[in-house]
Amino acid sequence: MFKRTVAVDGLTFGIDRGAAVGYIGANGAGKSTTIKMLTGILRPTAGTVRTCGLDPLRQRRRLARRIGVVFGQRSQLWWDLPLRDSFRALGAIHRLDPRPRLAELSERLDLASFLDTPVRQLSLGQRIRGEVAAALLHAPELLILDEPTIGLDVLSKERLRAFLVEQRAAFGTSLLLATHDMGDVRKLTERILLVDHGRLAFDGTLDGLARQVGAERILVLDLAEPAGPLDAVPGTRLVGVEAGGLRQRLAFAPGTTTVAAILSAVAASAQVHDLTIEEPDVEAVVRQLYARQVC
């Protein structure tokens, strides 16, 4: 027996040239299906899709010259060939000499040490950097990334994020980023589209979404010395005390207070040694948004 599932349901949006948009939602929300329609891999059963002004199905070859795509779980590199050979093959496909652009990408993404290594022998971080370089080899107008930092360590994520920011500034590249990583969304995009069950649930900024659903960020404070519970800091809610008071976790809603104000209030009773901020989980945000709509 087969069950029919509507992956994308009446979804309508547009992206301006040069914009950076985060496309977020829970697993199964329709993100990857949307990307496959935008790139001509899937045919929509209804409606119209235009990418860079082109029909992704009928003008797929022309579109391929104007977009770059990275799927975190799929590869466009040749598994058994050295990474350098994949770039040569892609250069031939796009009818360009890859060497000038590859020299720049190799320097910015630190590829030189493994350009002659077969792709199958690369670490995950090395392969993802190679995938991003391959997607940008022909200087596309639009870069589509589907979970590009999945499985990467913190340092590799930060290096990749910094590179993408630089590339957009240098070339005016449009960016569509589908991810669960709120750090990617916050650092790489200015606008978010939140989709659930194939429908557009929110179109705006990340802070705007958090304010709409009342989602809280968590400020994790590592103190210089143990202190009593910080349960009287204005605009916060104490959610945890660890290590005998050395680490305390304060929840706060963006828009109601700031980290600077919280630290100023904490300084009256404790000395902060270090701090980190935990962003709201995107799936939790989606659940809160739809719980409100149902009610």
Side-chain angles (χ1 to χ4, degrees), residues 227-243:
L230 300 173
D231 54 3
V233 179
T236 72
R237 178 172 59 87
L238 181 65
V239 294
V241 178
E242 305 170 18

Side-chain angles (χ1 to χ4, degrees), residues 78 81 84-95 98 137:
W78 279 260
L81 296 180
R84 188 189 305 274
D85 288 354
S86 287
F87 293 135
R88 288 173 178 160
L90 289 168
I93 290 172
H94 290 290
R95 299 178 183 177
L137 191 65

Side-chain angles (χ1 to χ4, degrees), residues 11-16 19-24 176 185 189-196 199-213 285 289-290 293:
L11 184 64
T12 301
F13 66 86
I15 298 175
D16 294 333
V21 177
Y23 193 42
I24 65 175
L176 178 62
V185 173
T189 68
E190 300 103 22
R191 170 190 171 198
I192 61 170
L193 303 170
L194 189 152
V195 64
D196 188 78
R199 294 184 177 182
L200 188 63
F202 180 84
D203 182 351
T205 66
L206 185 58
D207 288 341
L209 173 62
R211 286 194 297 270
Q212 180 170 323
V213 302
V285 171
L289 178 64
Y290 273 85
Q293 289 183 344

